[in-house]
């Protein structure tokens, strides 16, 4: 035991300085779009396996459905799509995750004001796995390690929805789990927030709507924040929770 303590004391601080030092944006992940290079040839839309891209009179990329497969980048003849956002920021609505964005004056201010008023700038989180592949769940686990240290922001995970302010949903919410997810939400005390983590929970992607699942958490729960990515980085999950509680009010 003493040897372990001595070894730990010799280590430097490992906790990241995020958000003071932002996470890198560019790597093999969701594409970035350059409208000046796009000629609307539609090649990217034809190869997208989840239908995240629509090209008609304009280009539109739904980041909630994107699973970062990079096929659109490989076939784009004009270079309008390139590698990519490792840290696609969370948003309050599905429409805010569609690129290119419509002009928006303010982001999250109404929710931030309400969350600050009712939650006192602290957050108790209940994680609900509703049919995920466990990719997002591993990233949620990473938020509690020494590098990301989510508890420094006043955020902690609890074992019961009755003690939670936020329901953190991963997975596409399968038909078999719809009732369980709804009962978990109903067990929470008001006021309560729902955060959808990853492409499955944010949109149901890459699985089509059918007998097994719908279009993610929003099909049965009132989602307040959508976190895109397959899976999203720990920094994106933390930013989504901070957006929910009003710690971050971004101005674009």
């Amino acid at each position: 035991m003493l040897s372990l303590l001595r070894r730990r004391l010799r280590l430097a601080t490992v906790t990241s300085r995020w958000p003071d030092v932002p996470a890198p944006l560019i790597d093999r992940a969701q594409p970035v779009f350059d409208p000046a290079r796009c000629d609307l040839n539609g090649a990217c839309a034809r190869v997208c396996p989840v239908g995240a891209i629509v090209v008609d009179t304009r280009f539109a990329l739904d980041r909630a459905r994107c699973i970062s497969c990079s096929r659109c980048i490989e076939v784009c003849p004009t270079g309008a799509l390139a590698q990519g956002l490792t840290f696609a920021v969370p948003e309050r609505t599905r429409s805010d995750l569609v690129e290119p964005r419509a002009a928006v004056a303010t982001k999250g201010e109404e929710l931030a004001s309400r969350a600050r008023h009712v939650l006192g700038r602290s957050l108790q989180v209940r994680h609900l796995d509703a049919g995920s592949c466990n990719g997002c769940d591993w990233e949620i686990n990473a938020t509690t390690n020494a590098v990301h240290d989510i508890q420094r922001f006043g955020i902690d995970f609890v074992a019961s929805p009755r003690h939670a302010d936020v329901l953190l949903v991963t997975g596409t919410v399968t038909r078999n789990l719809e009732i369980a997810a709804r009962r978990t939400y109903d067990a929470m005390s008001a006021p309560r927030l729902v955060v959808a983590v990853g492409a499955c929970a944010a949109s149901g992607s890459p699985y089509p709507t059918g007998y097994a699942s719908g279009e993610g958490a929003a099909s049965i729960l009132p989602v307040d924040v959508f976190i895109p990515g397959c899976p999203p980085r720990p920094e994106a999950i933390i930013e989504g929770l901070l957006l929910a509680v009003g710690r971050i009010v971004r101005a674009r």
Side-chain angles (χ1 to χ4, degrees):
M1 185 65 182
L2 289 176
S3 63
L4 289 175
L5 288 174
R6 281 196 294 270
R7 190 187 314 165
R8 181 63 188 90
L9 290 172
R10 283 197 292 269
L11 293 175
T13 301
V14 296
T15 303
S16 72
R17 295 175 60 193
W18 184 90
D20 294 334
V21 179
L25 285 178
I26 306 300
D27 202 346
R28 187 176 176 82
Q30 294 200 357
V32 291
F33 175 62
D34 182 357
R37 292 173 177 263
C38 183
D39 62 0
L40 301 178
N41 59 74
C44 51
R46 288 192 291 273
V47 299
C48 181
V50 296
I53 298 176
V54 175
V55 179
D56 41 38
T57 57
R58 60 189 290 272
F59 171 91
L61 166 63
D62 186 351
R63 294 202 180 280
R65 299 190 68 84
C66 179
I67 58 172
S68 309
C69 68
S70 299
R71 295 183 187 178
C72 55
I73 299 171
E74 294 170 359
V75 302
C76 181
T78 62
L81 294 170
Q83 305 285 353
L85 294 174
T86 61
F87 189 2
V89 295
E91 298 290 353
R92 294 178 56 201
T93 66
R94 280 288 307 278
S95 60
D96 289 339
L97 288 173
V98 176
E99 295 278 357
R101 294 187 178 89
V104 178
T106 58
K107 288 285 185 180
E109 292 183 353
E110 179 187 353
L111 174 62
S113 175
R114 182 166 64 91
R116 278 196 298 269
H117 176 70
V118 299
L119 298 178
R121 300 173 65 86
S122 68
L123 204 64
Q124 304 297 308
V125 179
R126 170 62 178 169
H127 172 211
L128 175 66
D129 180 349
S132 77
C133 68
N134 293 136
C136 296
D137 308 282
W138 279 107
E139 299 301 322
I140 290 173
N141 283 339
T143 63
T144 63
N145 65 23
V147 175
H148 301 290
D149 190 16
I150 194 173
Q151 291 179 319
R152 61 181 152 152
F153 300 108
I155 300 173
D156 205 356
F157 290 89
V158 294
S160 169
R162 298 189 186 283
H163 304 153
D165 306 306
V166 170
L167 188 62
L168 197 63
V169 182
T170 59
T172 187
V173 187
T174 62
R175 301 293 185 198
N176 287 339
L177 289 171
E178 284 183 353
I179 294 177
R182 187 66 206 188
R183 285 179 176 173
T184 302
Y185 176 77
D186 290 343
M188 299 170 63
S189 300
R192 52 198 169 184
L193 300 169
V194 178
V195 176
V197 179
C200 294
S203 67
S205 176
Y207 309 105
T209 302
Y211 72 93
S213 63
E215 296 186 351
S219 58
I220 63 165
L221 297 173
V223 176
D224 296 281
V225 175
F226 294 85
I227 303 176
C230 185
R233 291 172 62 96
E235 292 93 336
I237 297 171
I238 294 173
E239 176 157 342
L241 289 170
L242 294 178
L243 178 64
V245 79
R247 288 283 186 91
I248 291 178
V249 180
R250 292 191 304 275
R252 295 184 185 278

